[in-house]
């Protein structure tokens, strides 16, 4: 826990002076409160002794000063600490994103699941509070303790020591007690809450089935079962938490009572001027303000370190890339050559073994095979998202090993299998591919994929928000938008990863037309399990279980009558099945 | 305004608890006043009346007893508020669940499941502080100061007036500044959620951003977006914190004013020290409830914002049950009844174009009817209407003589087996996942259905067989296996009507072929309505309904439609390879 805590803190060390400043002002706020109450009570006690007014001037000024400074300090403290918190939030977000870049797509952690990312975002929001809620309160407390020690020491070291013991005791013993009581329940709450969330997400994703199968009641019952446990745990947690407040109040009153018990005899003997009896008592009361924030600090400490641990677990996943010594080099010639490429997952036995093939500049090559044959792995390797274990890939005359991923990705565009569009306008989404493209150029590419009339029919045209587009954009249409995005880069090699899955036949035909009409200089790697119009490809590579089982043109492969023929047959069989 | 009537109405049923909370809060204040009285009496005695420890020991003991009593009162107050919170959370979630069920799956799909889950779990949690802290504090902020005034006025009317004059300033300013800040805050909430959405978006799209060499730009943008959010937010907070400043300054300055004013009167001997000390001790307590209201103000705001999200779901118009006729309960299903669709139209809420435009067709009993058309032709909409997930905008569907509107949803669905496009598997075991289609099915029946769907062998080969758990959205199963589980559900349901939506859209051909064979066995003697964009699967349907842009273009069997030489033939030729 401590390790995680310091790791989080070190992430934000850039802002340590800001933090220090905020904590300092926080202390001055509490200090002003103490000052106000002590000078006030000094003032009235002195006045009660009919002290001449000129002797009271200092006290009156003090009272006025503290009265104003406290409010001002409080304002400044809140402003600065919020500023720091938001700075940290920005910092943590950048840190997390930067740390994820080399990891994604990961072999070990599935980051495509929205749940994991949503939780990470919550976790980041939870660690951003580490300063205001965890670090600052103890700092203010310690500073206040030192101040009070010094003040009480003026009267007697006994007062100072007694105060420090009781003050520190209540600041740490009470939170510790409740921490012991609530530790288990706290963990249980976290567990139950994520259970309830998972259950809800699962149910909502399957809401059609739930409603169709009339499962509403059993669903609700199950929800209530988990919820009841959660609420029960939260209820007990709340009761423990409220112990804090009540015990801290008690500790304050008892400390005052104790102090009275020790100080009153001193007043009687004359060792302590009676004036200070009220000053001390009231000062102690004011000092306890700094104890109030301590319990919360304990709670947030465990909460934010747990959040931090989850984030570090993700970030510490084995990285795929190590590109320190790679230099950008100009690539000449775009012939792609794979020599004995093998790849093993860490856990999965799905792998590529001994893959060798060649794609000459301007060639159109299809890579076909059933799902799980290794097609997507090949895409990840060709784009250097993953490193291969053995073998070599050459582009032109350069070995992949010496090329940076940036270098490679400047040459290769990908239409990914999963449609991924970003919040923002259509234009913004397209411009991810390439900067400084004019609207007319964008429309030209959109017309290549047959989206121009749709975009033109929208009131805001290219500036239409993707989110607002919602269901207006069908699966096929959003797929075509990602194709347009890839085409826009105008790179010499384009990979289409299952570009025709999830689309109807007309759309499929349109997409294939688009590919056919690409300039002859462009190499195309078309990855698919749908074997339509395969005769348009110069070469077809057939994958099965991570191996190339055969390759050749459509006609050649059909003539061979092997695996490829079987794939084609099964696809066409359907026509005769029903008769 | 922060006091929301609708929200307050949720307290109904727990009003007693709510009033006990306020009452206990008041009692705790009474002990605070008594403690202050005792303290001033003790100090006064020792300081001015030369009393010894022995003289005041009884008073100190009473003080300790009162301190204990106070902490017990505070704890019990929190105890009740914890139980109030439990009650409120449960009743909110219950309402939301009922609403989610009645909105129906289609409306839910347009909202994000993550968002709804968040509202249901975290959103409701955010109401906690509104009800346990903010709302009782609203009452206490009025009652406690009045209570203190009752004690203070007889002692010193001048202080009483200072209190009375300053007290309204605080809520007044809080309201003035608060309402400005609230407006700004609302805007800020939008920015905040947009910023979070952006962050989630780029995290999910890291792979794509890498492929386009855009990660560095995005890192900069995250920083930029977060920082511009920080600056905007701080501008809001600058104003929002002013209310806290006013509160703090008013409170501290009036303590200062009172101290000086009392001090001067003490000086001239026309005031008693004991009363002065009491007033000084109690003065911060007079302002404390306002301050606590201020600190819970944020919680109140958050609660209100969360409530708005909740209310957005609660007020969502129920689209499935908006126009239902009186329900038949003794509806007798006869398999030999045709489904007659007359002049059916449907427009999605917020859209202009009709998704279905004046459709009139008849689905013959015990025949296979295929819906054909490109994406967006209206096939899925029609199926959703038949599944009663949405209600038609106009037109009618008759089951023989009966208007579908007059048949109870559940009764109607009981006669349907449904194979959705993307079947959802729940995070339960395989047995329960299949059994969802027939609640009371025996294990033998489930196994029988699994055998027919050709998934039994796969299930038996797993370690826990039918009790094997399924991960998030069936993560441990392949696409083909998930479809087979759905098929097993349909077999188990064994209903006379079978609705199929785009079977096996992106499986590899061999797997797809096998699944289709197993599915066709289910078709015999059933009224089948099947959607597919793979035309080869429906060529041999008894009747083909060709749709385009919400309209029925052609109907007939394959041969008839080919002879017509119309749109159907054009669609078919798009599938070049086959013909």
């Amino acid at each position: 826990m401590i390790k995680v805590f310091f790791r989080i803190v070190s992430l934000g060390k850039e802002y340590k002076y800001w933090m220090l400043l905020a904590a300092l002002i926080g202390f001055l706020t509490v200090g002003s409160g103490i000052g106000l109450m002590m000078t006030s009570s000094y003032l009235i006690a002195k006045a009660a002794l009919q002290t001449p007014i000129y002797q009271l001037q200092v006290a009156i000024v003090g009272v006025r000063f503290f009265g104003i400074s406290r409010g001002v300090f409080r304002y400044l403290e809140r402003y600065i600490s919020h500023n720091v918190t938001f700075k940290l939030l920005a910092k943590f977000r950048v840190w997390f994103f930067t740390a994820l870049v080399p990891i994604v797509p990961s072999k070990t952690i599935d980051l495509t699941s929205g749940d994991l990312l949503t939780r990470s975002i919550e976790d980041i929001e939870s660690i951003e509070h580490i300063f205001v809620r965890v670090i600052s309160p103890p700092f203010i407390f310690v500073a206040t303790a030192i101040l009070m020690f010094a003040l009480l020491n003026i009267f007697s070291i006994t007062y100072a020591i007694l105060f420090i013991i009781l003050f520190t005791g209540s600041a740490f013993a009470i939170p510790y007690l409740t921490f012991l009581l609530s530790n288990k329940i706290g963990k249980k709450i976290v567990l139950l809450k994520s259970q309830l969330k998972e259950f809800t997400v699962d149910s909502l994703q399957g809401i059609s089935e739930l409603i169709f199968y009339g499962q509403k009641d059993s669903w609700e019952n199950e929800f209530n079962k988990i919820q009841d446990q959660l609420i029960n745990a939260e209820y007990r947690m709340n009761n423990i938490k409220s112990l804090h407040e009540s015990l801290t109040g008690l500790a304050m009153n008892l400390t005052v009572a104790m102090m009275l018990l020790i100080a009153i005899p001193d007043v009687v003997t004359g060792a302590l001027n009676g004036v200070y009896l009220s000053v001390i008592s009231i000062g102690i009361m004011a000092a306890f303000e700094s104890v109030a924030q301590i319990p919360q600090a304990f709670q947030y400490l465990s909460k934010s370190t747990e959040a931090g641990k989850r984030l570090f677990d993700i970030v510490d996943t084995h990285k795929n890339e190590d590109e320190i010594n790679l230099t950008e080099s100009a690539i000449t010639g775009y012939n792609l050559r794979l020599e004995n490429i093998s790849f093993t997952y860490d856990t999965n036995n799905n792998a590529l073994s001994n893959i060798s093939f060649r794609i000459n500049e301007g060639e159109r090559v299809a890579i076909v095979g059933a799902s799980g044959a290794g097609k997507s792995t090949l895409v990840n390797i060709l784009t250097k998202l993953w490193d291969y274990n053995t073998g070599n890939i050459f582009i032109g005359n350069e070995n992949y090993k010496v090329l940076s991923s940036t270098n490679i990705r400047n040459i290769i565009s990908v239409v990914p299998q999963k449609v991924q569009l970003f919040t923002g306008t259509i234009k913004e989404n397209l411009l991810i591919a390439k900067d400084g493209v004019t609207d007319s150029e964008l429309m030209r590419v959109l017309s290549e994929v047959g989206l121009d009339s749709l975009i033109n029919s929208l009131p805001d045209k290219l500036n239409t928000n993707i989110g607002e587009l919602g269901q207006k954009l069908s699966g096929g249409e959003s797929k075509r938008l990602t194709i347009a995005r890839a085409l826009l880069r105008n790179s010499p090699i384009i990979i289409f990863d299952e570009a025709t899955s999830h689309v109807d036949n007309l759309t499929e035909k349109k997409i294939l037309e688009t590919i056919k009409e690409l300039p002859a200089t462009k190499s195309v790697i078309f990855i698919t399990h749908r074997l339509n119009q395969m005769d348009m490809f110069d070469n077809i590579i057939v994958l099965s279980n991570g191996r190339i089982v055969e390759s050749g043109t459509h006609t050649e492969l059909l003539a061979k009558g092997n695996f490829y023929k079987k794939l084609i047959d099964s696809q066409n069989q359907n026509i005769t099945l029903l008769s | 305004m922060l006091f929301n009537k609708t929200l307050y109405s949720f307290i109904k049923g727990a009003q007693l608890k709510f009033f006990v909370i306020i009452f206990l809060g008041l009692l705790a204040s009474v002990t605070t006043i008594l403690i202050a009285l005792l303290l001033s009496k003790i100090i006064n005695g020792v300081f001015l009346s030369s009393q010894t420890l022995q003289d005041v020991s009884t008073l100190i003991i009473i003080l300790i007893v009162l301190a204990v009593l106070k902490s017990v009162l505070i704890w019990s107050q929190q105890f009740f508020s914890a139980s109030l919170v439990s009650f409120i959370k449960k009743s909110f979630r219950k309402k939301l669940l009922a609403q989610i069920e009645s909105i129906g799956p289609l409306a839910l799909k347009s909202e994000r499941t993550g968002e709804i889950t968040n509202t249901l779990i975290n959103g409701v949690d955010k109401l906690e502080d509104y009800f346990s802290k903010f709302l009782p504090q609203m009452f206490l902020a009025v009652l406690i100061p009045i209570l203190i005034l009752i004690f203070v006025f007889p002692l010193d009317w001048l202080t009483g007036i200072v209190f009375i004059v300053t007290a309204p300033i605080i809520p007044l300013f809080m309201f003035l500044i608060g309402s400005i800040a609230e407006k700004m805050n609302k805007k800020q909430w939008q920015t905040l959620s947009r910023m979070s959405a952006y962050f989630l978006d780029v995290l999910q799209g890291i792979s794509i951003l890498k492929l386009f060499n855009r990660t560095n730009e995005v890192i900069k943008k995250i920083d930029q977006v977060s920082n511009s959010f920080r600056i905007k937010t701080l501008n809001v907070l600058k104003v929002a914190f002013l209310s806290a400043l006013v509160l703090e300054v008013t409170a501290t300055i009036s303590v200062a004013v009172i101290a000086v004013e009392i001090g001067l009167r003490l000086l001239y001997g026309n005031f008693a020290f004991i009363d002065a000390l009491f007033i000084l001790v109690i003065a911060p307590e007079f302002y404390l409830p306002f301050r606590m209201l201020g600190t819970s103000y944020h919680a109140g705001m958050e609660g209100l914002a969360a409530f708005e999200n909740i209310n957005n779901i609660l007020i969502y118009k129920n689209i499935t049950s908006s126009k239902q006729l009186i329900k038949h309960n003794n509806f007798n299903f006869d398999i030999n009844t045709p489904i007659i669709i007359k002049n059916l139209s449907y427009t999605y809420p917020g859209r202009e174009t009709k998704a279905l435009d004046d459709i009139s067709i008849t689905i013959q009993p015990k025949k296979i009817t295929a819906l054909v058309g490109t994406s967006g032709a209206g096939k899925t909409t029609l199926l959703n209407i038949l599944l009663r997930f949405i209600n038609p905008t106009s037109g009618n569907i008759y089951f023989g003589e009966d208007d579908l509107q007059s048949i109870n949803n559940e009764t109607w669905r009981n006669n349907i087996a449904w194979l959705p496009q993307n079947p959802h598997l729940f995070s339960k075991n395989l047995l329960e996942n299949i059994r969802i289609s027939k609640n009371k099915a025996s294990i033998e029946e489930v196994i029988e259905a699994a055998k027919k769907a050709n998934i039994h062998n796969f299930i038996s080969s797993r370690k826990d067989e039918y009790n094997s758990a399924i991960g998030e959205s069936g993560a441990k199963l392949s696409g083909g296996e998930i479809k087979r589980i759905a098929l097993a559900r349909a077999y188990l349901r064994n209903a006379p009507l079978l609705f199929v939506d785009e079977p096996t859209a992106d499986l590899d051909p061999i797997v797809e072929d096998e699944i289709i064979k197993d599915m066709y066995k289910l078709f015999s003697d059933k009224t089948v309505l099947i959607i597919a964009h793979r035309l080869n699967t429906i060529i041999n349907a008894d009747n083909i309904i060709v749709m385009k842009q919400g309209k029925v273009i052609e109907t007939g069997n394959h041969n008839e439609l080919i002879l017509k030489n119309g749109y159907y033939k054009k669609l078919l030729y798009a599938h070049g390879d086959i013909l």
Side-chain angles (χ1 to χ4, degrees), chain B residues 528-554:
Chain B
V528 179
L529 180 68
I530 178 169
I531 294 178
H533 39 228
R534 300 184 55 88
L535 295 178
N536 43 11
T537 64
I538 42 99
I539 267 174
N540 290 300
D542 297 300
N543 191 25
I544 301 167
I545 293 163
V546 187
M547 295 179 73
K548 191 185 177 187
Q549 290 167 353
K551 290 195 167 104
V552 172
I553 302 259
E554 292 168 313

Side-chain angles (χ1 to χ4, degrees), chain A residues 51 67 104 245 423 432 575, chain B residues 78 125 201 210 214 252 267 540:
Chain A
T51 318
V104 176
E245 198 188 329
T423 322
I432 286 175
I575 310 168
Chain B
Q78 309 259 10
D125 276 347
D201 223 29
K210 276 171 86 172
R214 287 292 184 184
T252 45
L267 200 59
N540 290 300

Side-chain angles (χ1 to χ4, degrees), chain B residues 139-154:
Chain B
F139 287 82
L140 288 175
V142 176
L143 296 174
I144 292 178
I146 291 176
L147 188 73
I148 291 174
L149 275 178
I150 292 171
F151 279 83
V152 169
F153 245 103

Side-chain angles (χ1 to χ4, degrees), chain A residues 102-121:
Chain A
I103 296 167
V104 176
S106 166
K107 285 167 254 173
T108 44
I109 294 180
D110 181 20
L111 284 164
T112 53
S113 129
D115 292 348
L116 184 59
L117 289 181
T118 316
R119 205 193 59 193
S120 300
I121 287 174

Side-chain angles (χ1 to χ4, degrees), chain B residues 348-578:
Chain B
Y348 283 96
R351 309 271 169 80
E352 278 173 16
T353 44
K354 289 178 176 172
L356 284 182
D357 191 357
D358 204 20
I359 300 254
S360 296
I361 47 169
T362 301
I363 298 165
Q364 293 298 343
K366 290 180 159 176
K367 292 270 160 68
I368 296 164
T369 305
L371 288 174
V372 171
T374 56
S375 54
K379 297 164 298 183
T380 312
T381 308
L382 180 59
L383 195 70
N384 279 327
I385 292 177
L386 284 167
L387 285 165
R388 316 249 16 213
F389 287 155
I390 43 175
N391 269 346
T393 317
S394 63
N396 292 80
I397 299 172
Y398 297 95
F399 187 69
E401 306 278 296
D402 294 302
D403 190 327
L404 205 57
Q405 297 282 356
S406 70
I407 301 168
N408 180 298
N409 278 350
E410 215 162 307
T411 318
W412 171 244
R413 286 180 192 142
N414 275 337
N415 294 296
I416 305 171
W418 173 44
L419 281 173
Q421 187 171 32
N422 294 308
H424 179 78
L425 299 195
F426 295 92
S427 302
K428 294 177 174 178
N429 63 32
L430 288 165
L431 177 71
E432 284 173 80
N433 260 298
I434 298 175
R435 192 149 61 183
I436 190 174
S437 71
K438 193 177 173 189
N439 275 334
K440 287 175 188 123
S442 65
I443 295 187
E444 287 73 27
E445 282 178 88
V446 172
I447 292 176
E448 188 59 33
K451 277 183 179 161
K452 283 179 182 157
N454 254 321
I455 190 74
H456 174 71
N457 286 343
F458 167 79
I459 296 175
S460 313
S461 73
R462 308 206 119 200
K463 206 175 125 245
D464 296 321
E465 302 195 358
Y466 279 83
N467 293 321
S468 308
I470 284 174
E472 188 187 319
S473 288
K476 286 179 198 156
L477 300 182
S478 75
E481 284 146 11
I482 291 173
K483 299 239 150 99
R484 286 193 182 281
I485 299 282
L487 191 57
R489 283 176 182 166
Y491 269 110
L492 184 65
R493 189 129 172 126
N494 196 25
L497 299 177
L498 177 63
F499 293 167
V500 186
D501 189 356
E502 307 204 15
T504 60
D506 61 335
L507 299 174
D508 80 75
I510 295 168
V511 176
E512 177 174 341
D513 178 36
E514 284 167 358
I515 293 178
I516 284 173
K517 269 188 213 162
D518 291 325
M519 186 180 75
Y520 286 153
K521 288 179 204 146
L522 181 63
F523 285 10
S524 59
D525 278 336
K526 291 193 170 65
T527 304
V528 179
L529 180 68
I530 178 169
I531 294 178
H533 39 228
R534 300 184 55 88
L535 295 178
N536 43 11
T537 64
I538 42 99
I539 267 174
N540 290 300
D542 297 300
N543 191 25
I544 301 167
I545 293 163
V546 187
M547 295 179 73
K548 191 185 177 187
Q549 290 167 353
K551 290 195 167 104
V552 172
I553 302 259
E554 292 168 313
T555 53
N557 64 30
H558 174 66
N559 291 332
E560 290 163 3
L561 288 171
I562 290 291
L563 282 175
K564 271 189 187 167
N565 205 6
Y567 182 66
Y568 177 75
K569 200 171 172 188
K570 226 174 95 191
L571 272 177
L572 231 57
Y573 275 111
H575 207 66
D577 267 18
I578 296 164

